[in-house]
Amino acid sequence: MSLIRDYSLLVKKAYEEQNTLLFTQLFHFTDNDPSVLAICAELNSMPDKAITDSVDSLLEDTSYALAVAVNNYLRLIRSLSTGDPREVFEAFALFYTSFIPLFNVSETCYQVPVIKNLSSLLVQLALRADQTGLKGKAQKAHTAARLLSKTFNIMLADRSPIEVSKRQGLFHITNLAFKMYFRLNTIKLCQTFISNIGKGNVELEMFPMSQQVTYQYYLGRYYLLDGDFPKVRQ
C-alpha cells in the first residue's frame, strides 16, 4: 500500500473520530520531517492525476472539502522540492484556503489546534518569502493577513460555550494578524479586530496569559501610534 493511501486513510480516521491529536499530527508541516520527506519522494514519482484520484477515491464520500484540503496539502509537500520560499508559500496559502471550508462547519472545535498551528506556519512562511525581496503589495504578508481575517470571523461567529467553541483560538489568530499589520504598516486594520472582539463580548481573561499579554502589547502599540494616550495608560 502506498504512503499516499496510508496517509489518506489516517486522515479519514482522524476526521471521522474527531481525533484532535491525530488530526493535528497529520497536518504537521516541517521541511525536514522524515515522514514528510518520504511522502514527498513518492509524490515526485507519481503523475498528478494518479495522486488526486487516489485521494478522492478514499475521501470524497466522507467529505469533499476534506479531499480538496488533502490534495492541496500533498501539493504543498511536493513544492518543498523546489526550495523556493515564494512557491512554498503559495502552495501553503492554497492549502490553508482549502482548509477554511473544512473548519467552517459545525462541530469542528477539535480542529482548533490544527488551525492554530497552520496559522502560525502561514505567518512564518509569509515572512520567509518576503525576505527574498518582495516589496509593497507583492508581500506575502498581505495574503497571510487576509486569510487570518477569514479564520478570525469563523471563530468569532461560534457562540458555543468556550469549552466547545472555535473561539478558543481567537486571540492566537488575532495576535498573528496584528503581527502582520504592524509588519505591513497597515495598523489601522487592527481596529476591525478590536471592534469585533468588543461587539462579540469576548472575555480576554478566559484565554491563556501568554495570549492576553501579547494582545495587550499590540493594543498598547496601536493606541500609542493612534495618539489615544488615555487608552495606552489603561
Side-chain angles (χ1 to χ4, degrees):
M1 188 178 291
S2 74
L3 292 174
I4 307 304
R5 181 176 174 80
D6 287 347
Y7 174 78
S8 298
L9 288 172
L10 281 173
V11 170
K12 181 177 182 178
K13 172 183 171 66
Y15 179 82
E16 291 178 338
E17 296 177 358
Q18 297 192 353
N19 186 324
T20 298
L21 179 60
L22 181 57
F23 208 65
T24 304
Q25 290 173 339
L26 289 168
F27 289 111
H28 176 69
F29 175 80
T30 57
D31 52 12
N32 58 358
D33 186 315
S35 61
V36 170
L37 293 174
I39 292 176
C40 184
E42 183 169 298
L43 289 169
N44 287 331
S45 69
M46 296 174 64
D48 287 346
K49 189 175 186 305
I51 298 168
T52 302
D53 287 349
S54 176
V55 171
D56 289 349
S57 67
L58 293 168
L59 298 179
E60 268 195 342
D61 289 344
T62 300
S63 165
Y64 176 77
L66 182 64
V68 172
V70 168
N71 274 311
N72 284 331
Y73 178 74
L74 295 176
R75 292 186 184 100
L76 165 63
I77 291 178
R78 201 175 202 176
S79 74
L80 291 175
S81 59
T82 68
D84 183 344
R86 301 184 191 187
E87 190 169 329
V88 171
F89 174 79
E90 289 299 335
F92 191 91
L94 179 62
F95 162 59
Y96 189 98
T97 299
S98 64
F99 197 92
I100 289 175
L102 192 64
F103 184 58
N104 191 25
V105 294
S106 61
E107 299 181 4
T108 53
C109 176
Y110 75 96
Q111 293 179 14
V112 168
V114 185
I115 202 74
K116 285 171 63 179
N117 286 348
L118 295 180
S119 297
S120 294
L121 277 168
L122 178 73
V123 168
Q124 177 184 326
L125 293 173
L127 295 176
R128 184 188 299 178
D130 287 347
Q131 286 172 358
T132 64
L134 296 175
K135 302 294 183 183
K137 292 183 179 179
Q139 292 178 88
K140 302 306 180 183
H142 287 289
T143 302
R146 176 176 55 80
L147 292 173
L148 290 169
S149 180
K150 290 184 177 183
T151 301
F152 171 87
N153 289 332
I154 292 170
M155 291 178 169
L156 187 66
D158 189 348
R159 299 302 182 108
S160 306
I162 192 64
E163 295 79 9
V164 291
S165 175
K166 295 172 192 174
R167 287 190 173 197
Q168 291 176 23
L170 196 67
F171 282 101
H172 181 86
I173 300 300
T174 298
N175 291 335
L176 289 173
F178 283 4
K179 182 176 183 176
M180 293 294 90
Y181 292 148
F182 275 90
R183 178 62 65 98
L184 293 165
N185 198 26
T186 55
I187 62 170
K188 287 291 184 182
L189 296 176
C190 294
Q191 184 57 50
T192 301
F193 280 72
I194 297 167
S195 297
N196 287 337
I197 287 171
K199 293 174 184 175
N201 297 316
V202 182
E203 298 180 24
L204 180 61
E205 296 75 17
M206 298 180 68
F207 291 80
M209 182 57 67
S210 60
Q211 294 179 19
Q212 293 183 42
V213 170
T214 303
Y215 180 70
Q216 295 285 15
Y217 164 74
Y218 279 119
L219 211 58
R221 285 185 64 189
Y222 170 78
Y223 287 131
L224 181 64
L225 292 170
D226 198 44
D228 195 337
F229 300 110
K231 287 187 177 178
V232 172
R233 285 191 287 271
Q234 291 176 13

